[in-house]
Amino acid sequence: MLATSMARSAGYGSPLAKSPREVEYELFARITRALQSADPSNAGGRAAQAIVDNNHLWTELAADLSNPGNELPEGLKAQLLSLAMFSIRHGTRVLSGNGNVSALIDINLNIMKGLRGRGDE
């Protein structure tokens, strides 16, 4: 399960007390806070690590979404895969100095709203 493996690798310990949705929310929140607080002019520092972490999160999500056992509706999976591809490509552009993190932050915040069941805010 994506949330379980990512929670362990992120240092959350045993995720068993939390639902996969809660764990995914926490991962998005941690990475989004890092993106928001990183100095974009310091491409080799915290900003770069936050973008690499964001790309890793979206890569793991894309792999999970592509798994035949994923039970999300096909339309939602397709939309999330599209966001994953955009986020990874845009993150790579930001790392090369050809963009900023605002789009990545906006996407992550919207995913967080969806995970909390507040997608219409």
Side-chain angles (χ1 to χ4, degrees):
M1 174 180 282
L2 170 70
T4 303
S5 66
M6 290 189 73
R8 285 191 185 115
S9 69
Y12 283 109
S14 175
L16 298 178
K18 297 179 181 175
S19 73
R21 194 176 189 118
E22 290 171 318
V23 172
E24 289 171 356
Y25 180 91
E26 288 180 7
L27 289 167
F28 269 104
R30 181 180 58 82
I31 290 170
T32 303
R33 278 191 305 272
L35 289 169
Q36 291 169 321
S37 67
D39 178 5
S41 66
N42 185 5
R46 289 177 50 200
Q49 187 59 54
I51 294 164
V52 168
D53 290 346
N54 193 65
N55 281 0
H56 182 204
L57 173 61
W58 279 106
T59 299
E60 292 291 326
L61 287 170
D64 185 63
L65 290 164
S66 300
N67 184 326
N70 186 301
E71 296 180 3
L72 287 175
E74 293 301 317
L76 180 57
K77 284 195 283 190
Q79 290 172 337
L80 289 170
L81 281 168
S82 178
L83 281 175
M85 292 185 311
F86 173 83
S87 293
I88 294 164
R89 279 193 314 266
H90 189 72
T92 302
R93 281 195 294 271
V94 174
L95 285 171
S96 67
N98 295 317
N100 63 57
V101 298
S102 63
L104 301 174
I105 292 168
D106 289 344
I107 289 169
N108 287 4
L109 289 173
N110 281 308
I111 293 296
M112 290 165 61
K113 286 180 187 175
L115 288 167
R116 287 285 192 213
R118 298 188 313 239
D120 58 346
E121 291 180 11

